[in-house]
């Protein structure tokens, strides 16, 4: 496999190998949003692992916002009617979630992976669309025990 000048440039800037560049191709989020999180640190200092950490962090922010939105929706229902039992259970479950703590990742180029440390089944049950969006946006499946 020959390396293009573009790939060579990216490998130099990101301090990675040609196979590691595949991580970038699988990202579905807009890189403008990702790069804006890097606190004005030059990309050369970030490397591929720092860049992919920023991608995962951005995805976690999206999940956190989905949790917050759903909690707000459920908390607004009593203004119109009583919550049913399933809604009460969902609201209690959502209040347990802390995406920044529940979602963990390990970054080592193509060996990078993401998993649920806690509450994986609750995320899958109540926030399946947000989890799917995370996986599509980051290019990483979230591993973990789905049974709790």
């Amino acid at each position: 496999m020959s390396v293009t000048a573009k790939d060579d440039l990216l490998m130099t800037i990101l301090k990675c190998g040609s196979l590691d560049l595949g991580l970038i191709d699988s990202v579905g989020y807009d890189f403008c949003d990702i790069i804006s999180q890097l606190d004005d640190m030059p990309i050369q200092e970030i490397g591929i692992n720092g860049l992919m950490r920023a991608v995962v962090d951005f995805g976690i922010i999206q999940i956190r916002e989905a949790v917050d939105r759903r909690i707000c929706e459920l908390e607004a229902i009593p203004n119109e009617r009583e919550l049913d039992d399933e809604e009460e259970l969902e609201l209690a479950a959502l209040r347990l979630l802390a995406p920044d703590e529940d979602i963990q990742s390990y970054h080592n180029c193509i060996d990078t992976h993401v998993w649920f440390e806690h509450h994986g089944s609750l995320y899958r049950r109540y926030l399946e669309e947000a989890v799917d969006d995370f996986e599509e946006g980051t290019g990483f499946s979230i591993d973990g025990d789905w049974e709790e």
Side-chain angles (χ1 to χ4, degrees):
M1 175 172 129
S2 64
V3 175
T4 66
K6 176 176 56 176
D7 290 345
D8 186 42
L9 173 66
L10 285 172
M11 290 184 315
T12 301
I13 290 172
L14 296 174
K15 300 177 192 108
C16 67
S18 60
L19 293 177
D20 302 321
L21 293 180
L23 294 170
I24 294 170
D25 290 331
S26 62
V27 173
Y29 293 132
D30 185 331
F31 270 103
C32 290
D33 295 330
I34 306 304
I35 301 291
S36 69
Q37 292 189 117
L38 298 178
D39 297 325
D40 299 323
M41 183 178 282
I43 196 71
Q44 298 90 326
E45 294 179 27
I46 299 293
I48 190 74
N49 292 326
L51 179 63
M52 297 315 293
R53 177 71 225 180
V55 169
V56 169
D57 287 347
F58 184 80
I60 291 171
I61 290 167
Q62 302 309 301
I63 289 179
R64 185 178 344 114
E65 289 174 355
V67 170
D68 293 344
R69 274 191 309 274
R70 185 61 183 147
I71 287 173
C72 286
E73 289 171 8
L74 289 168
E75 288 177 338
I77 290 174
N79 294 335
E80 302 168 14
R81 62 172 174 78
E82 292 292 317
L83 291 174
D84 64 31
D85 291 343
E86 182 59 35
E87 291 166 332
E88 289 280 357
L89 287 172
E90 181 181 358
L91 182 57
L94 291 173
R95 287 180 174 153
L96 295 173
L97 303 181
D100 295 307
E101 297 169 20
D102 296 340
I103 302 169
Q104 300 294 311
S105 59
Y106 171 77
H107 298 271
N108 186 15
C109 301
I110 60 173
D111 189 31
T112 295
H113 54 280
V114 182
W115 68 94
F116 281 115
E117 188 73 21
H118 308 287
H119 307 298
S121 65
L122 297 179
Y123 284 94
R124 199 46 94 177
R125 181 180 308 139
Y126 297 116
L127 297 162
E128 186 171 8
E129 185 176 336
V131 171
D132 290 344
D133 289 347
F134 174 95
E135 291 177 342
E136 184 178 314
T138 63
F140 297 112
S141 295
I142 305 179
D143 300 323
D145 184 8
W146 296 108
E147 305 299 322
E148 290 185 17

